[in-house]
Amino acid sequence: MSMSFLDKVGKVFSDATNTVVEKTKSSTDNIRLNGQINEEERKINEAYMQIGKKYLELHQLDAEPEFQEMLSAMAESRRKIGEYQAQIRKNKHVILCANCNEEIPETVLYCTSCGAENPVGKRLAKEREEREAAERAAAERAAANAVPPAASAMVCKVCGKPYVPGDKFCTHCGTPLPSAPVPVEPVIPTPAPVSSSAESVIPTPVEQRPEQPKNAVRICPVCGSVMAEQNRFCTKCGSPMGDIPQGASEQVEPVIPTPPETVWEENPPIKKRECPSCGSPVPPENRFCTKCGQKMPDENENEPKA
């Protein structure tokens, strides 16, 4: 009886196994068949597309009314595609060659694929030349109409000291000055206050230098400026003047006649300065010796620091 039970159980398992195998085989076969069906449907749809394209090529102008709506929709889609492609080329700064229909940079004068002339590139080059010429003309007009700087701007850009028109080097720091200085407005001197005991206002005496004799001048070999014969360095460009001409006496600066002594209560005495190198007298406003070119020490350097 136990053997009969086992046989029945084995048969049940065997039948179940056969059923699973059959179902698996059937399912696999169905998948294969469905794939073949999809492939055939794809071929049919592709044939439809080929038939539509061929019909459009043969009957684009004389198609039946039933196809006019579809043909119009296709034409509109093609137009939009063309606009989108043109915008892409514009963003990339390229155009289509009129000869070979290849994309080329819009600025080239000839196609890089076939060598055909590019009218767009030539037009852009001409516009660029005209624009640059207009900009140059505008810059020239602006420079011609520019207002000259004010007279107060005639100061050295390095030390900020004023300079005389025509000087090529600053007498305070030796910096080269502009070649075309702006004329300086004349400054009217203000008379200094006099003693209260004076009976009348005495005008400020003007220092007058005697004219140099005609044979007591020298010409700078670099800038051509006229210098006194005793100057060893040019006061305009700082170049050495060379040896004193033969027959000329080596002397210090010409003696200036002293005007009548006038008592000023508030004017401090003028300090005399001598070159620490050659001992020649140097005017208080000069920063360089006219004899040896030595830079004069700053008076503030000698003052004791607090």
Side-chain angles (χ1 to χ4, degrees):
M1 183 175 180
S2 69
M3 289 298 296
S4 177
F5 175 76
L6 292 175
D7 291 340
K8 288 181 180 180
V9 172
K11 184 178 180 182
V12 170
F13 278 110
S14 177
D15 292 342
T17 302
N18 292 334
T19 302
V20 172
V21 171
E22 289 295 332
K23 287 184 178 180
T24 302
K25 183 178 179 181
S26 176
S27 177
T28 303
D29 192 41
N30 291 338
I31 293 174
R32 179 181 60 81
L33 294 174
N34 287 329
Q36 291 178 352
I37 291 172
N38 292 334
E39 178 65 19
E40 296 302 326
E41 289 178 349
R42 186 190 62 79
K43 291 180 180 180
I44 293 173
N45 292 331
E46 185 177 353
Y48 283 154
M49 293 179 62
Q50 296 297 331
I51 292 172
K53 288 183 179 180
K54 180 61 68 174
Y55 181 85
L56 182 61
E57 293 174 359
L58 298 176
H59 303 283
Q60 185 173 4
L61 300 178
D62 58 346
E64 288 78 359
E66 294 81 2
F67 298 99
Q68 290 298 330
E69 185 177 354
M70 290 182 287
L71 294 176
S72 299
M74 292 175 61
E76 179 65 17
S77 296
R78 287 197 183 94
R79 185 187 65 79
K80 291 182 179 179
I81 291 174
E83 291 180 355
Y84 300 153
Q85 291 174 342
Q87 185 63 37
I88 292 174
R89 289 192 295 269
K90 183 178 180 181
N91 295 339
K92 295 167 60 178
H93 298 285
V94 297
I95 60 174
L96 294 178
C97 175
N99 185 46
C100 64
N101 207 36
E102 291 291 334
E103 288 188 352
I104 58 175
E106 63 181 5
T107 56
V108 298
L109 301 181
Y110 297 92
C111 177
T112 56
S113 298
C114 65
E117 184 181 15
N118 178 21
V120 177
K122 290 194 173 183
R123 176 177 58 80
L124 294 177
K126 183 178 180 180
E127 292 177 355
R128 182 172 59 254
E129 292 177 358
E130 293 176 352
R131 183 172 61 255
E132 292 176 353
E135 291 176 355
R136 287 194 299 269
E140 292 175 358
R141 288 194 300 269
N145 299 331
V147 179
S152 60
M154 287 191 60
V155 296
C156 178
K157 295 182 179 180
V158 176
C159 65
K161 300 293 183 181
Y163 60 87
V164 180
D167 288 356
K168 294 185 177 181
F169 290 83
C170 179
T171 58
H172 296 273
C173 64
T175 302
L177 299 174
S179 58
V182 182
V184 180
E185 295 181 358
V187 179
I188 301 176
T190 304
V194 298
S195 174
S196 59
S197 61
E199 296 180 358
S200 61
V201 177
I202 302 176
T204 303
V206 180
E207 183 180 5
Q208 308 238 353
R209 293 179 177 267
E211 295 183 357
Q212 295 289 340
K214 294 184 179 179
N215 59 353
V217 296
R218 304 170 69 191
I219 305 301
C220 176
V222 177
C223 66
S225 301
V226 179
M227 297 287 112
E229 67 172 357
Q230 67 271 12
N231 284 15
R232 295 294 185 88
F233 290 82
C234 178
T235 59
K236 300 296 182 182
C237 65
S239 301
M241 297 294 295
D243 298 329
I244 298 178
Q246 187 176 2
S249 60
E250 183 176 2
Q251 58 183 1
V252 297
E253 294 185 5
V255 179
I256 302 172
T258 305
E261 183 178 0
T262 305
V263 178
W264 308 101
E265 292 185 354
E266 298 183 2
N267 289 351
I270 300 176
K271 297 181 180 179
K272 295 183 179 180
R273 302 172 68 199
E274 292 184 354
C275 176
S277 178
C278 64
S280 300
V282 180
E285 67 273 7
N286 282 17
R287 294 298 179 89
F288 294 87
C289 178
T290 57
K291 297 294 182 182
C292 64
Q294 174 67 31
K295 182 178 180 181
M296 299 298 296
D298 192 355
E299 296 180 357
N300 297 329
E301 295 178 357
N302 299 329
E303 295 180 1
K305 298 182 178 179

